[in-house]
Amino acid sequence: MSSRLLVAFLTVLIGGTLSLTPAFGAAPARSGEFTSVDRPDRLRAPSFAPPPSPAAALARARALFTRSGNERRARTSGREATLVLRDLARQAADLPTAAQRQAAARILARPTTGDDPTGGLEPRYTSPSASDCGPHICVHWVEDASPDSAKGKGNDGNLSTIPAWVTTTLTTMEAVYRKEVYSLGYHAPLPDGTRGGDGRIDVYLADLGGAGLYGYCTSDQPDRGTNRRVFAYCVLDNDYAASQFGTRHTRVENLEVTAAHEFFHAIQFGYDWSEDSWLMEGTAAWMEDEVYDNVNDNLQYLGESQLAYPYVSLDYSGYDYQPYGAWVFWKFLSEAAGRGRFDSPRIVRDVWTAATGAPFSTQALQHVLAARHTSFARVYGTFGTWLRDPARYFAEGRSYRSAPLDGRFILTRSHPSTGVRRTRMDHMTHTFARLSPGPTLTGAWRVRISINMVDRSRGSLARVVVHPRHGAPTAHWFALDRSGAGTQVFGFRRSAITNLEVDLVNASMRFHCNRGTSQSCRGVSYDDNVPATINARAIR
């Protein structure tokens, strides 16, 4: 598809039939305000979870490897280690004491380095190691910590015997390499010279399940603290035993999605390993589905995504709200671009290519969309339509939950107006409201909708999806003037219309960077907590 046709497609994407049962319960509307829809206090404001200081980064990394499997965070499924170790690796040289720097070096060292005198900061090989290599990957293991195909452990005393799980891991990693590098076109991870034996990607097997981890990648490149492009090595669990990882997926399925996720981190490190977490983790979780479409492990992350919290900024990331759920935006982007014979995953690859030259994630995304003659505002506005009706638009959307409404209003003859309903919005968020004609609105009624937001230069836009009683829904961009205000009239005949849904959108990507947050460019948006109002009235 040409760029011009893609623009046309992204411009005219329409919404779908919405569930009449809201995804979240809602209290009756208070005068002058939208309904409150299960907004946890921890998510009411932007995330000010500053990048850890060197000492805090060390403490977080230590906690990763001392947490028991029973204490692992269910919502992240133990995959948060890569960025925790990234933060430590980038700051290890700035630790104030020699003892702290030595502790960081032990954590970041490869498992084959030797005994761990600190008492188990990281799974460490204590016996001679062996390796099995393919064209691109080398898998390293020790006999006393490696599984066989049946019991999860094996020790036949012969390092020339390759355990079955080592073969399974190598085969899986080579398949992931071919998919992500050859099929999807990403740059191969940077070679690490003679570390691990040669320049092939090194994967070490260790009992990570005891620490509640599935796997991770990090770097021991000497200049990693100052270089945006680094090589990586990875560590995966040595058996993914059901006793540690449960039975929701098989051992091989757990290996597959972890390999796809973590190897993509190794690829990311070769583009820019200092990138924002919502881009790094969101696209890594997206990649799981691209490589192993039938496993669907990343569905667990949708509880912390805009399908659950559309009013939480898309790039939000905090210690209690991980960025994995952002994968649903990247899924939307690739699927929206993919309709009409376009190479769908390419648009995500293009964002990573742009990230090597852009200061931060949202600038890279803006650059890619501008090259396709569209904008983040229009794409993100369309994303809201998909959020409200995922089953209609996403390829696997029947497994997703619709984003919740923030207001429901039934207009009748006796109560024809919503009054002025107010809300406040943060950057890169949506607020959804439904307008329904009541049983007394018989005949040729219409509804006049007035919206008042902040200046359009600050990301304000709106969209209306009309749900007829028969036929497909239609979506309309709401005309706002430069100041962010506008009024439009829509048909509201009860015999023809089930409801209209209004999507108020804050698509701002303006940031004051390096302000100690975990959002884009570690910055603060200029357009958070901005007011928006809607006033709808049924008219003849």
Side-chain angles (χ1 to χ4, degrees), residues 297-310:
D297 185 66
N298 58 4
L299 293 180
Q300 67 181 302
Y301 306 134
L302 294 182
E304 290 184 337
S305 76
Q306 291 202 322
L307 279 167
Y309 302 111

Side-chain angles (χ1 to χ4, degrees), residues 60-266:
R60 288 182 64 196
R62 280 176 164 168
L64 279 177
F65 298 109
T66 56
R67 191 173 69 231
S68 71
N70 292 332
E71 294 172 331
R72 68 178 182 270
R73 298 174 189 172
R75 70 166 63 98
T76 63
S77 291
R79 291 204 178 99
E80 73 271 31
T82 293
L83 293 195
V84 170
L85 295 180
R86 186 273 307 266
D87 290 341
L88 175 62
R90 295 184 68 204
Q91 301 181 85
D94 297 325
L95 286 162
T97 69
Q100 289 175 319
R101 292 190 292 273
Q102 290 170 0
R106 285 191 292 268
I107 292 175
L108 296 168
R110 302 185 182 213
T112 50
T113 302
D115 291 343
D116 182 3
T118 63
L121 287 180
E122 181 181 30
R124 196 59 63 104
Y125 293 174
T126 58
S127 300
S129 62
S131 304
D132 188 27
C133 298
H136 314 100
I137 307 292
C138 283
V139 175
H140 308 276
W141 80 95
V142 291
E143 197 71 10
D144 65 357
S146 298
D148 59 21
S149 60
K151 295 181 291 184
K153 286 187 178 180
N155 187 359
D156 60 11
N158 183 358
L159 285 175
S160 65
T161 301
I162 299 175
W165 190 255
V166 172
T167 301
T168 299
T169 301
L170 179 59
T171 301
T172 300
M173 288 297 301
E174 287 287 352
V176 168
Y177 185 104
R178 290 192 298 272
K179 176 67 175 182
E180 297 186 10
V181 176
Y182 293 158
S183 297
L184 297 179
Y186 287 89
H187 298 316
L190 299 179
D192 63 358
T194 58
R195 290 175 174 79
D198 58 27
R200 284 174 285 195
I201 308 303
D202 296 301
V203 176
Y204 300 88
L205 301 186
D207 182 17
L208 297 183
L213 301 175
Y214 280 62
Y216 61 86
C217 294
T218 191
S219 179
D220 56 356
Q221 184 167 312
D223 62 350
R224 61 183 182 255
T226 57
N227 201 326
R228 292 176 64 177
R229 302 178 66 237
V230 300
F231 58 68
Y233 74 85
C234 300
V235 182
L236 300 179
D237 191 71
N238 64 353
D239 60 3
Y240 294 98
S243 60
Q244 293 177 326
F245 295 90
T247 58
R248 188 163 63 96
H249 299 299
T250 67
R251 294 169 61 201
V252 171
E253 287 173 337
N254 283 325
L255 167 64
E256 288 174 339
V257 294
T258 304
H261 185 114
E262 296 303 335
F263 183 75
F264 194 56
H265 279 317

Side-chain angles (χ1 to χ4, degrees), residues 374-398:
T374 188
S375 67
F376 176 74
R378 296 193 73 83
V379 169
Y380 187 63
T382 301
F383 179 51
T385 304
W386 287 44
L387 289 175
R388 280 296 299 140
D389 192 7
R392 177 177 292 271
Y393 293 110
F394 287 99
E396 298 179 344
R398 290 182 178 86

Side-chain angles (χ1 to χ4, degrees), residues 254-463:
N254 283 325
L255 167 64
E256 288 174 339
V257 294
T258 304
H261 185 114
E262 296 303 335
F263 183 75
F264 194 56
H265 279 317
I267 286 176
Q268 293 170 352
F269 285 12
Y271 285 83
D272 181 1
W273 86 320
S274 64
E275 258 301 346
D276 298 319
S277 59
W278 80 283
L279 175 60
M280 294 192 74
E281 291 294 8
T283 57
W286 166 83
M287 183 60 79
E288 296 176 26
D289 206 51
E290 293 297 307
V291 181
Y292 293 106
D293 183 49
N294 294 327
V295 179
N296 294 320
D297 185 66
N298 58 4
L299 293 180
Q300 67 181 302
Y301 306 134
L302 294 182
E304 290 184 337
S305 76
Q306 291 202 322
L307 279 167
Y309 302 111
Y311 49 82
V312 174
S313 296
L314 180 62
D315 63 340
Y316 182 105
S317 176
Y319 299 151
D320 57 352
Y321 186 98
Q322 297 295 319
Y324 303 92
W327 75 262
V328 74
F329 171 78
W330 302 108
K331 190 66 169 176
F332 152 77
L333 197 64
S334 61
E335 289 192 6
R339 300 191 177 196
R341 303 178 186 176
F342 193 81
D343 180 18
S344 59
R346 177 181 172 181
I347 194 167
V348 179
R349 188 189 72 197
D350 288 350
V351 172
W352 272 105
T353 300
T356 61
F360 54 94
S361 59
T362 47
Q363 283 198 353
L365 178 57
Q366 285 177 311
H367 174 81
V368 169
L369 295 176
R372 286 163 168 77
H373 307 289
T374 188
S375 67
F376 176 74
R378 296 193 73 83
V379 169
Y380 187 63
T382 301
F383 179 51
T385 304
W386 287 44
L387 289 175
R388 280 296 299 140
D389 192 7
R392 177 177 292 271
Y393 293 110
F394 287 99
E396 298 179 344
R398 290 182 178 86
S399 301
Y400 306 170
R401 198 178 188 182
S402 299
L405 292 164
D406 212 2
R408 306 168 185 82
F409 307 100
I410 299 175
L411 304 184
T412 65
R413 285 177 180 269
S414 57
H415 294 91
S417 175
T418 62
V420 177
R421 298 290 171 168
R422 300 178 178 87
T423 190
R424 286 188 171 271
M425 303 181 67
D426 291 336
H427 72 284
M428 298 165 69
T429 61
H430 294 266
T431 293
F432 301 105
R434 176 186 290 168
L435 307 172
S436 302
T440 60
L441 292 189
T442 58
W445 287 84
R446 296 176 297 163
V447 62
R448 183 177 61 230
I449 302 173
S450 297
I451 293 174
N452 198 335
M453 304 178 73
V454 295
D455 193 283
R456 282 173 51 198
S457 65
R458 301 179 65 183
S460 297
L461 68 150
R463 197 165 161 88

Side-chain angles (χ1 to χ4, degrees), residues 41 58 465:
D41 288 341
L58 175 61
V465 179

